[in-house]
Amino acid sequence: MMLRNFAREIRFLSKDRGALFWLALSFILSVIAVSFGVTEVREQRETIANLIEEDAADRANALEGQEDWGSAAYYAFHFTYAPPSDFAFAAMGQRDSTPWKHRVRMLALEAQIHEADTRNADFGLVGRFDFAFLAASVVPLLLILLLYDLRASERSASRHDFLVATAGSSLSLWFPRALVRVAGLALLLLVPLWVASLIAGASGMVTLQATGIVVGALAVWWLIVELVSRIKASPSVLLTSLIGLWLALAIVVPALSKAVIETNNPIPDGGEILLLQRETVNDAWDLPKEATMKPFIETHPEWREYAEIEEGFEWKWYYAFQQVGDQKAAPLVEQYREARLRRDRQAGIAALLSPTSFVERAFEKLAGTDAVSMIAYEDEVRDFHAELRAFHYPLMFPEKDYDSGLLAELPLYKPES
Amino acid sequence: MTSPLEARSLSLVREGNTVLDDVSFTVAQGEIFALLGGNGAGKSSTLLTFLGFLEPSGGDILVNGTSVGSDVALARSAIAYLPEAAALYGHMTAYENLDYFLDLADKLASQAEIDAALERVALLVEARSRRLQSYSKGMRQKTAIALALLRETPILLLDEPTSGLDPIAIDEFHDLVKALAEGGQTILMVTHDVYGACQVADRVGLLRRGKLVGSFAAENNKRINTEAVHAAFAEREAV
């Protein structure tokens, strides 16, 4: 019986040009969104692959002819990166506003990380049209356009009572009629996502979870439309009310939440970190060497016996004040890191009030493009930089003879994910 | 014997206004009962209570002896309802409309049966595959009647069925309604077409400001109805 109802409503839908237009548009938008994402991920991967090659060649070139450990460390750059996940095509998320690649060397690290707080600032204005944006913000509008006047249009055509009287019950009419539209919309959105997931090699579990998010979001918006459209009002009044609700849930609530969260969680500017560290490093040139070596030895007691600086310039002093620059900036860095994580946690709670934010965040999490993932990448860079220091200090501080052959053992950045 | 349709002291109050006030009548099987009244007399509201769209404030509504309130789906399954403007889908053909609405009513009909019904309502063959948006009101009404025929329900509710039809279409419609009643269908129609009602109905009830003020056998209509009906309609301005 239920299947027969659906078959009837599918036939009915096939004659509804308005609904078919919106469904076709959904499919086209989904194809465009995943195509943009797949292209962007491919380009980022190509960029990474090229930079890995160029970085190795450049480092080999820079190390050639060096005669001491300090110079070798100074001129050798190391490429670090956060590769896009296989599902990143669906949600570029924070990769658009947070750096996903850094080329670092043995100098003070934090300035290298915070050289630019924001990349692709243009995306901050327009946003990226990826699948997450489509599913979170555009799909609710398409669903509203498909469902808002199911009842109201029949009422205004004086057909409502006739239809319900013929059907016997509302359930056997409106439910299959709406479900066919919702299911059609879900399918037309998800098929391009599934195909792109296959092409990108995304895991079945992640794709399944993404499917669940889309279906869940559609169900929530369907419920909202259903509740509003029960009001006996004209189609235009219903549409205006639903668009108003969409504006409130998709724009106003997230904007207000963001404002409240940012006010309650002040965050130091990346530029402040950069400035503090650079000033520390620059000041060190004019300070007595003791002023650098003392705080350095406090954190690196293993090099105490080599802390005496005899000449005007020694590489170990130079790298010590780079390290001290990082140490000085560390509280601010930690404050910055914690505040970002705190804001992210609170944004997660606030997202419960906005289906749009919830979907966007859920997709970013699945794609590994959320704030937590980007902070994790920064931590990986710090770990790698610590490895570099751990490689160089035992050669530099005891002033071991330079042996270029040992440079083959230089740490290489390997992303964890 | 249980009457297919019965209003028992039916009252209806909507937004503080009394729409129906202690209305009682029965319609026997195979009978055509016409409710006459001016605008706002409560005619359409009476039909909507039989269909379960309006809940009585007092009294009861029974379809085949069962209170509509206790099983609205059962009541609706026994009734074919023809609203004033036969509101079928304009973007679909007569065949497509019938296919959709029959399916909606959980009724199967073969192509031959559909053609037979359309033949019976005299809808031209060449019109049947055209979209209804190109139909005249009479043609749309015929299609809706064909639907009612095909549903083969024991009860037919008609809301202003001849409104906007030309005289020939009205005659054809009346003939069809009489034929249905002769076939055993119980018909309740509401109309403000005094003479049409008296011509087709077995009995005529007069509704005035929600009250059933009279009920007359159609054979007496020539003399009695003229006076009573005019009295009923005279109130419409005050409603």
Side-chain angles (χ1 to χ4, degrees):
Chain A
M1 181 64 193
M2 211 52 176
L3 281 176
R4 202 175 133 187
N5 286 340
F6 291 133
R8 180 191 70 234
E9 291 305 330
I10 289 170
R11 287 200 305 277
F12 182 77
L13 176 65
S14 71
K15 295 182 180 74
D16 185 341
R17 286 185 194 171
L20 290 178
F21 170 79
W22 295 120
L23 288 174
L25 184 67
S26 312
F27 181 72
I28 292 166
L29 289 175
S30 182
V31 169
I32 291 171
V34 295
S35 303
F36 279 169
V38 168
T39 305
E40 177 63 24
V41 166
R42 193 175 55 230
E43 282 173 5
Q44 289 190 7
R45 286 201 172 127
E46 281 170 8
T47 301
I48 288 169
N50 289 338
L51 287 176
I52 287 172
E53 258 180 51
E54 284 174 23
D55 176 67
D58 183 62
R59 191 165 47 252
N61 191 41
L63 290 174
E64 203 175 287
Q66 298 301 336
E67 292 175 350
D68 58 70
W69 295 115
S71 300
Y74 185 84
Y75 290 108
F77 280 85
H78 302 264
F79 178 56
T80 71
Y81 56 95
S85 72
D86 292 336
F87 193 66
F89 72 88
M92 295 312 294
Q94 306 291 318
R95 289 181 78 84
D96 278 337
S97 54
T98 311
W100 48 267
K101 60 184 189 309
H102 287 292
R103 212 165 165 235
V104 297
R105 53 180 172 159
M106 268 282 288
L107 304 187
L109 176 65
E110 293 304 333
Q112 298 180 73
I113 290 179
H114 296 287
E115 219 164 20
D117 261 354
T118 305
R119 302 285 166 92
N120 295 338
D122 49 334
F123 284 122
L125 293 173
V126 295
R128 183 189 285 280
F129 188 76
D130 56 16
F131 189 85
F133 174 74
L134 174 70
S137 302
V138 182
V139 165
L141 284 174
L142 291 167
L143 190 78
I144 287 170
L145 291 166
L146 279 168
L147 298 184
Y148 80 96
D149 68 343
L150 278 194
R151 283 186 177 81
S153 65
E154 301 295 9
R155 267 191 215 107
S156 52
S158 305
R159 197 163 35 226
H160 180 274
D161 292 349
F162 179 48
L163 274 167
V164 177
T166 307
S169 75
S170 290
L171 190 69
S172 62
L173 172 63
W174 304 121
F175 178 67
R177 190 174 278 196
L179 184 61
V180 161
R181 280 160 173 72
V182 176
L185 179 62
L187 204 64
L188 291 168
L189 285 168
L190 287 169
V191 166
L193 182 79
W194 293 335
V195 171
S197 293
L198 274 177
I199 292 169
S203 89
M205 184 49 74
V206 167
T207 310
L208 193 67
Q209 283 175 278
T211 302
I213 293 164
V214 172
V215 172
L218 284 172
V220 168
W221 280 103
W222 181 10
L223 181 68
I224 291 169
V225 176
E226 177 66 21
L227 290 175
V228 172
S229 62
R230 279 169 186 250
I231 300 166
K232 285 185 180 169
S234 68
S236 57
V237 169
L238 291 179
L239 184 60
T240 310
S241 311
L242 285 164
I243 298 287
L245 261 176
W246 175 83
L247 271 174
L249 294 175
I251 311 281
V252 178
V253 169
L256 282 176
S257 310
K258 188 168 182 280
V260 170
I261 289 168
E262 287 183 359
T263 307
N264 289 339
N265 298 284
I267 205 166
D269 198 284
E272 288 175 44
I273 296 170
L274 179 87
L275 203 64
L276 174 67
Q277 191 194 60
R278 288 230 168 119
E279 278 174 355
T280 309
V281 168
N282 290 340
D283 289 350
W285 289 99
D286 304 321
L287 292 172
K289 295 187 172 57
E290 176 68 11
T292 295
M293 297 314 288
K294 196 174 169 213
F296 176 78
I297 290 304
E298 276 170 17
T299 54
H300 295 79
E302 66 270 31
W303 308 121
R304 183 182 301 279
E305 60 181 299
Y306 307 107
E308 198 68 37
I309 308 297
E310 290 161 3
E311 295 173 33
F313 177 86
E314 286 187 44
W315 280 115
K316 57 186 178 185
W317 165 67
Y318 178 79
Y319 287 109
F321 71 63
Q322 300 292 333
Q323 172 96 49
V324 170
D326 276 341
Q327 284 173 206
K328 199 80 172 246
L332 204 55
V333 168
E334 187 56 20
Q335 208 183 322
Y336 182 74
R337 185 180 181 282
E338 282 307 310
R340 282 161 73 198
L341 286 170
R342 201 164 49 246
R343 278 186 178 186
D344 185 62
R345 279 194 299 273
Q346 292 182 7
I349 295 166
L352 296 174
L353 300 173
S354 162
T356 303
S357 304
F358 187 87
V359 170
E360 192 105 37
R361 287 179 58 85
F363 261 90
E364 285 177 10
K365 193 170 181 189
L366 278 182
T369 56
D370 56 346
V372 173
S373 302
M374 299 320 285
I375 290 169
Y377 162 61
E378 285 175 16
D379 289 344
E380 280 182 44
V381 176
R382 288 188 184 98
D383 291 344
F384 172 69
H385 198 264
E387 279 181 53
L388 276 182
R389 281 173 167 157
F391 174 83
H392 281 288
Y393 286 175
L395 299 169
M396 207 178 287
F397 277 87
E399 296 180 17
K400 289 199 173 165
D401 289 341
Y402 182 72
D403 175 3
S404 61
L406 283 178
L407 293 173
E409 289 166 33
L410 258 176
L412 269 180
Y413 178 78
K414 285 266 188 308
E416 279 178 19
S417 52
Chain B
M1 187 181 160
T2 306
S3 299
L5 294 173
E6 183 177 358
R8 223 181 253 174
S9 300
L10 175 65
S11 296
L12 182 68
V13 178
R14 295 185 76 191
E15 295 168 1
N17 297 317
T18 301
V19 180
L20 294 171
D21 184 8
D22 198 24
V23 172
S24 295
F25 63 84
T26 58
V27 188
Q29 192 194 344
E31 185 184 23
I32 303 173
F33 183 60
L35 268 179
L36 269 175
N39 292 336
K43 307 187 298 294
S44 295
S45 297
T46 307
L47 291 192
L48 294 178
T49 53
F50 275 106
L51 290 165
F53 290 118
L54 298 176
E55 200 178 330
S57 316
D60 203 1
I61 282 284
L62 295 97
V63 172
N64 290 327
T66 305
S67 172
V68 172
S70 67
D71 194 342
V72 70
L74 183 71
R76 286 174 183 166
S77 69
I79 296 172
Y81 167 57
L82 203 63
E84 180 178 355
L88 299 170
Y89 287 104
H91 67 284
M92 287 167 28
T93 66
Y95 284 133
E96 288 167 347
N97 265 292
L98 292 176
D99 174 56
Y100 179 80
F101 280 94
L102 285 171
D103 203 329
L104 192 63
D106 198 20
K107 176 82 189 168
L108 290 170
S110 67
Q111 186 62 42
E113 287 169 320
I114 290 173
D115 275 322
L118 290 170
E119 200 66 49
R120 202 170 162 198
V121 297
L123 188 75
L124 297 173
V125 175
E126 56 268 31
R128 294 174 195 173
S129 299
R130 277 202 338 247
R131 288 184 181 161
L132 263 65
Q133 59 205 16
S134 66
Y135 277 24
S136 67
K137 187 171 179 188
M139 289 164 80
R140 267 183 254 144
Q141 197 76 339
K142 284 176 178 176
T143 313
I145 297 163
L147 172 65
L149 292 174
L150 285 161
R151 283 192 61 195
E152 295 176 320
T153 55
I155 300 164
L156 187 56
L157 302 186
L158 307 171
D159 191 353
E160 304 285 3
T162 55
S163 161
L165 297 187
D166 62 48
I168 295 169
I170 290 173
D171 278 347
E172 286 174 353
F173 177 76
H174 285 163
D175 290 344
L176 194 58
V177 169
K178 281 180 189 168
L180 290 173
E182 280 162 16
Q185 261 188 315
T186 303
I187 298 170
L188 169 61
M189 61 188 282
V190 302
T191 180
H192 52 238
D193 175 9
V194 178
Y195 299 103
C198 293
Q199 193 183 340
V200 74
D202 298 312
R203 277 190 306 133
V204 177
L206 291 177
L207 266 181
R208 188 171 70 191
R209 300 180 71 178
K211 270 188 170 294
L212 191 64
V213 294
S215 178
F216 313 101
E219 58 265 26
N220 297 326
N221 73 75
K222 285 281 187 289
R223 190 176 60 79
I224 300 169
N225 285 351
T226 310
E227 294 165 8
V229 166
H230 280 265
F233 278 79
E235 294 285 343
R236 76 179 192 276
E237 294 303 323
V239 175

